[in-house]
Amino acid sequence: SQQGEEDPQALSIQEGENATMNCSYKTSINNLQWYRQNSGRGLVHLILIRSNEREKHSGRLRVTLDTSKKSSSLLITASRAADTASYFCATDADPGGFKTIFGAGTRLFVKA
Amino acid sequence: DTGVSQDPRHKITKRGQNVTFRCDPISEHNRLYWYRQTLGQGPEFLTYFQNEAQLEKSRLLSDRFSAERPKGSFSTLEIQRTEQGDSAMYLCASSLASPEAFFGQGTRLTVV
């Protein structure tokens, strides 16, 4: 079963605009991760945020976590055509925090 | 830099045949994961290992599926008596001390 649900399912923006994707989950977590997947390829880890953190930055990425609402958001600023990909949130599903469950993803298309 | 390697990259098989996939994780990683991904969906957890011990197997995984990691290094995933519904991308990932997982490029299985 998939713990996280991303919203929107698909997003199309112009290059240079910001893209925001949201993730909601159902049970308590130790951490939440975001991954990117280019078409037909493996997933690439973007960022991990722990349950005691509220915000984290990495380059043009900003992730927020609201454990009271069981939700997270991924913001990509100044998007580029190369950001076109599927983005997945993933949550841990066991006490050790190592079994990871993925959502269905947001498909982002950045038009040049 | 040797990342996670999966072999083969593509496999076409006839319904009813057995198939075996191999995954070579990053060498020092003690955890290894198998996921299945169908078009438009996120990766679906199948099983994971810590060293050679299989810690969990998804209830979605029928008895036709078996995974091994005999010496705590590479892993194999076997599907017996394949069905058309088994057609998917099979992803392997590995990790060490963090939930951050490194994914291979996947094996795309087509059952005809």
Side-chain angles (χ1 to χ4, degrees), chain A residues 94 98-102, chain B residues 23 30-36 43-62 65-69 75-78 90-95 101 103:
Chain A
D94 64 345
F98 286 95
K99 175 185 171 184
T100 301
I101 304 296
F102 288 81
Chain B
C23 172
N30 60 343
R31 289 175 187 256
L32 186 147
Y33 310 83
W34 284 100
Y35 289 87
R36 178 173 63 190
E44 179 182 45
F45 171 81
L46 294 179
T47 188
Y48 82 110
F49 293 83
Q50 179 166 321
N51 299 314
E52 66 275 11
Q54 187 172 18
L55 297 188
E56 187 167 342
K57 183 176 174 180
S58 170
R59 285 169 295 189
L60 299 172
L61 217 58
S62 75
F65 288 73
S66 63
E68 293 183 342
R69 194 182 183 197
S75 176
T76 57
L77 177 68
E78 181 183 17
Y90 290 84
L91 294 165
C92 176
S94 68
S95 69
F103 279 80

Side-chain angles (χ1 to χ4, degrees), chain A residues 17-33:
Chain A
E17 294 180 339
N18 295 341
T20 300
M21 290 159 267
N22 303 296
C23 169
S24 59
Y25 56 92
K26 298 171 185 172
T27 62
S28 296
I29 60 171
N30 297 307
N31 60 75
L32 184 143
Q33 304 177 70

Side-chain angles (χ1 to χ4, degrees), chain A residues 58-112:
Chain A
S58 177
R60 294 184 296 112
L61 306 180
R62 184 181 80 131
V63 169
T64 62
L65 179 64
D66 187 337
T67 53
S68 67
K69 295 181 179 178
K70 292 187 169 61
S71 68
S72 173
S73 68
L74 170 67
L75 169 67
I76 303 174
T77 60
S79 64
R80 305 166 182 168
D83 295 328
T84 294
S86 292
Y87 292 82
F88 298 93
C89 73
T91 54
D92 61 299
D94 64 345
F98 286 95
K99 175 185 171 184
T100 301
I101 304 296
F102 288 81
T106 292
R107 277 135 203 91
L108 173 66
F109 181 64
V110 182
K111 294 176 280 187

Side-chain angles (χ1 to χ4, degrees), chain A residues 48-56 63-67:
Chain A
L48 179 150
I49 186 166
R50 300 196 183 277
S51 60
N52 60 353
E53 298 175 309
R54 292 295 167 259
E55 188 170 310
K56 206 161 180 181
V63 169
T64 62
L65 179 64
D66 187 337
T67 53

Side-chain angles (χ1 to χ4, degrees), chain B residues 94-105:
Chain B
S94 68
S95 69
L96 184 55
S98 163
E100 174 187 351
F102 294 79
F103 279 80
Q105 294 300 301

